């Protein structure tokens, strides 16, 4: 199927196949195939082409938003996303909605969840009512590690505001049986979103906001694997975290 969006951009800007090929470092025949056959270039090539055209790379090639299938890396790896921005919020929601026993969330803020899915608290309340034990740990805005993270991301005090916003989003859950809310001040290497035997791991990269860092979706395959390593990491942070007043204490 032709890439009509790319065709229209080329027509409106006056770019030729040869000019775009030169900007992207490919043969003009490749650009022709992008347009007429709907071929999707490699991500690095697509980024060069999109930058040259002044367009959003995902608008030109939506397929680049899709998860890359795991090869023989690990039997626990369900999917790998190049950056969190490639991952629809619906994936987070679907994973959490499948939980029947446990939901664990470890973040600094992750306010994107509530902003993109305002019913998140309702979902968590529903899961708790069905017997899920839910533990949520958000960043302590007064922690030195939070302040350092803000400097690394070049957001300054912005991350502190996001941590406070996250706490505000979750406060209506205080007192709900089965849900416990804590704040932590750890150096966070990954944000974790666990639902039973599945976990979405958002890596943290120095100087890069979490939305620009990779996400891997894991499903527990055997004891002692990658999943258990991240689950153990959550438990270790949880032990250091401070309960927010009004939380209902669940099992750890």
């Amino acid at each position: 199927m032709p890439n009509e969006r790319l065709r229209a951009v080329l027509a409106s800007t006056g770019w030729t196949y040869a000019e775009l090929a030169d900007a992207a470092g490919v043969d003009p025949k490749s650009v022709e195939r992008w347009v007429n056959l709907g071929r999707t270039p490699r991500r690095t090539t697509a980024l060069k082409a999109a930058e040259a055209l002044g367009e959003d790379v995902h608008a030109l090639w939506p397929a680049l938003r899709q998860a890359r299938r795991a090869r023989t890396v690990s039997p626990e790896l369900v999917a790998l996303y190049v950056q969190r921005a490639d991952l629809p919020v619906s994936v987070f929601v679907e994973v959490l909605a499948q939980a029947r026993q446990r939901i664990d969330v470890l973040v600094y803020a992750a306010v994107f969840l509530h902003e993109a899915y305002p019913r998140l608290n309702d979902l968590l309340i529903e899961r708790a009512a069905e017997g899920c034990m839910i533990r949520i740990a958000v960043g302590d805005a007064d922690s030195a590690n939070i302040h350092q993270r803000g400097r690394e991301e070049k957001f300054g005090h912005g991350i502190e505001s996001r941590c406070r916003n996250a706490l505000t989003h979750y406060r209506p859950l205080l007192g709900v049986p089965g849900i416990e809310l804590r704040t932590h001040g750890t150096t966070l290497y990954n944000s974790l979103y666990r639902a039973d035997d599945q976990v979405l791991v958002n890596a943290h990269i120095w100087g890069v906001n979490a939305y620009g860092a990779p996400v891997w979706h894991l499903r527990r395959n055997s004891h002692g694997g990658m999943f258990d390593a991240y689950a153990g990491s959550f438990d270790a942070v949880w032990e250091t975290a401070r309960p927010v007043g009004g939380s209902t204490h669940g099992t750890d």
Side-chain angles (χ1 to χ4, degrees):
M1 179 180 296
N3 187 329
E4 299 297 346
R5 174 61 183 264
L6 180 57
R7 190 196 305 278
V9 169
L10 291 173
S12 64
T13 58
W15 280 73
T16 66
Y17 290 172
E19 289 170 340
L20 184 57
D22 183 62
V26 297
D27 187 270
K29 286 290 186 183
S30 295
V31 177
E32 184 179 350
R33 287 190 286 269
W34 299 348
V35 175
N36 296 324
L37 300 180
R39 298 282 176 82
T40 299
R42 293 179 182 274
R43 177 174 291 273
T44 53
T45 303
L47 287 170
K48 289 180 182 178
E51 183 178 4
L53 295 171
E55 291 287 322
D56 176 60
V57 67
H58 296 125
L60 294 175
W61 293 286
L64 291 176
R65 289 187 180 276
Q66 302 304 312
R68 297 186 176 183
R69 291 190 175 277
R71 298 183 180 176
T72 57
V73 178
S74 167
E76 294 183 283
L77 188 58
V78 177
L80 171 63
Y81 299 84
V82 175
Q83 54 186 11
R84 197 188 73 200
D86 293 334
L87 183 59
V89 171
S90 60
V91 174
F92 289 90
V93 173
E94 289 166 7
V95 168
L96 296 177
Q98 292 174 32
R100 294 296 178 269
Q101 297 177 327
R102 179 178 297 281
I103 289 175
D104 290 333
V105 176
L106 173 61
V107 297
Y108 274 153
V111 291
F112 74 95
L113 281 177
H114 278 98
E115 290 172 348
Y117 188 70
R119 289 196 65 253
L120 180 62
N121 283 0
D122 294 335
L123 170 61
L124 296 175
I125 292 171
E126 290 168 5
R127 291 294 86 231
E130 292 294 325
C132 265
M133 300 304 299
I134 299 174
R135 300 182 295 178
I136 301 167
V138 300
D140 179 352
D142 296 322
S143 165
N145 286 323
I146 300 293
H147 299 172
Q148 179 63 32
R149 177 67 176 173
R151 290 191 290 270
E152 293 169 0
E153 290 185 348
K154 298 180 176 60
F155 273 101
H157 298 296
I159 189 169
E160 299 163 36
S161 298
R162 295 206 305 272
C163 288
R164 291 190 175 93
N165 287 342
L167 198 55
T168 298
H169 282 307
Y170 285 116
R171 276 193 182 279
L173 299 177
L174 293 178
V176 175
I179 299 180
E180 187 173 359
L181 177 62
R182 295 186 181 184
T183 58
H184 70 93
T186 59
T187 299
L188 197 58
Y189 299 104
N190 302 279
S191 295
L192 304 176
Y193 309 84
R194 175 188 176 180
D196 294 341
D197 287 344
Q198 298 186 76
V199 63
L200 293 166
V201 181
N202 185 188
H204 287 195
I205 300 175
W206 193 96
V208 177
N209 191 280
Y211 66 74
V215 173
W216 38 93
H217 181 179
L218 302 177
R219 181 178 286 110
R220 177 186 269 144
N221 181 266
S222 60
H223 290 291
M226 294 173 64
F227 178 95
D228 285 346
Y230 286 112
S233 176
F234 180 96
D235 289 338
V237 173
W238 188 253
E239 288 300 319
T240 71
R242 298 186 304 175
V244 176
S247 292
T248 298
H249 293 265
T251 57
D252 286 354

